[in-house]
Amino acid sequence: AQSVSQHNHHVILSEAASLELGCNYSYGGTVNLFWYVQYPGQHLQLLLKYFSGDPLVKGIKGFEAEFIKSKFSFNLRKPSVQWSDTAEYFCAVMPYTGGFKTIFGAGTRLFVKA
Amino acid sequence: EAGVTQSPTHLIKTRGQQATLRCSPISGHTSVYWYQQALGLGLQFLLWYDEGEERNRGNFPPRFSGRQFPNYSSELNVNALELEDSALYLCASSQGKRRETQYFGPGTRLLVL
């Protein structure tokens, strides 16, 4: 069965630290890839997406993600986190087959200490 | 531009009852998706409607059903509620069937007692 794995359930960082959140998926075909963010008290928002082209994707608020096809990975990065980045982050994969069903990871809760 | 709206924001039901949740997509969007987000779990895909038809379904029992209306709004019905149906139900919409970003609503929190 197709699945999305996010390596960390919780991450705690100090402000200005670098961030990398892992995401791996199990599907051999072509996929669309997404990172969504859910700030406290707010609904899910799109952070960035990859459909095709340059595997290094830049999103909002200084986030970027790199698609490594050979590793089935789409890790999220930010060079220097801020307190306002405290949120839950979800990786999502949309395979091109199977009715374009989007599969979400379990999420990673990021806490940034001021 | 108005985003995806959902109603009600909260719903409390007892076991065995039925729940109806509603979703209005962003104007111009024809696809509506429903997800269940149970405590401690990620989003689980429930249903996808496009142009009034059910296009795909997740691994949920038949008591989870829904429909999409001609104005592209959608309803999710959960029959014979069970305690484990307590969750946040999220609706998302997109412009079409393929390669489109989904935009999420605020969700309906369902509590089954």
Side-chain angles (χ1 to χ4, degrees):
Chain A
Q2 298 154 359
S3 65
V4 177
S5 174
Q6 292 185 237
H7 310 308
N8 305 98
H9 292 296
H10 295 89
V11 173
I12 302 173
L13 295 173
S14 297
E15 274 195 313
S18 64
L19 169 72
E20 181 160 3
L21 301 182
C23 173
N24 285 88
Y25 62 93
S26 62
Y27 180 72
T30 305
V31 294
N32 293 336
L33 298 160
F34 307 84
W35 276 97
Y36 284 88
V37 61
Q38 189 169 29
Y39 297 103
Q42 298 185 28
H43 54 85
L44 274 168
Q45 304 171 38
L46 181 68
L47 204 52
L48 49 78
K49 62 186 178 185
Y50 171 82
F51 283 177
S52 63
D54 187 345
L56 184 62
V57 180
K58 295 194 184 300
I60 60 172
K61 304 187 180 185
F63 285 91
E64 65 178 31
E66 184 175 13
F67 171 46
I68 304 179
K69 190 174 181 179
S70 61
K71 295 185 177 180
F72 301 94
S73 71
F74 189 55
N75 292 353
L76 181 71
R77 300 194 292 249
K78 186 171 183 178
S80 175
V81 294
Q82 299 173 310
W83 178 80
S84 57
D85 293 324
T86 295
E88 189 162 17
Y89 294 81
F90 293 91
C91 178
V93 175
M94 179 192 287
Y96 271 36
T97 58
F100 293 89
K101 184 170 67 177
T102 302
I103 303 158
F104 282 78
T108 297
R109 284 185 183 271
L110 170 66
F111 297 91
V112 180
K113 298 183 290 185
Chain B
E1 179 186 90
V4 177
T5 59
Q6 292 185 245
S7 64
T9 56
H10 297 82
L11 192 57
I12 301 175
K13 294 284 186 178
T14 55
R15 205 166 43 177
Q17 285 188 312
Q18 179 198 38
T20 299
L21 288 62
R22 296 180 178 82
C23 171
S24 291
I26 291 171
S27 178
H29 287 190
T30 61
S31 278
V32 170
Y33 309 80
W34 287 97
Y35 295 88
Q36 183 195 65
Q37 187 178 18
L39 195 63
L41 300 176
L43 279 74
Q44 305 295 316
F45 169 76
L46 264 166
L47 290 159
W48 167 32
Y49 291 95
D50 182 72
E51 299 281 358
E53 292 189 19
E54 182 179 303
R55 301 293 183 177
N56 205 345
R57 181 180 183 86
N59 295 326
F60 282 84
R63 56 191 187 82
F64 286 84
S65 65
R67 53 181 172 166
Q68 186 177 34
F69 299 99
N71 66 353
Y72 303 115
S73 66
S74 176
E75 246 179 31
L76 173 68
N77 295 294
V78 188
N79 294 319
L81 284 165
E82 300 178 4
L83 297 179
E84 52 265 33
D85 296 333
S86 295
L88 181 67
Y89 289 84
L90 293 171
C91 171
S93 73
S94 71
Q95 285 186 313
K97 301 184 192 61
R98 298 172 183 265
R99 296 165 60 91
E100 295 293 342
T101 302
Q102 296 175 31
Y103 295 87
F104 285 81
T108 292
R109 190 163 293 281
L110 172 64
L111 179 61
V112 182
L113 303 174

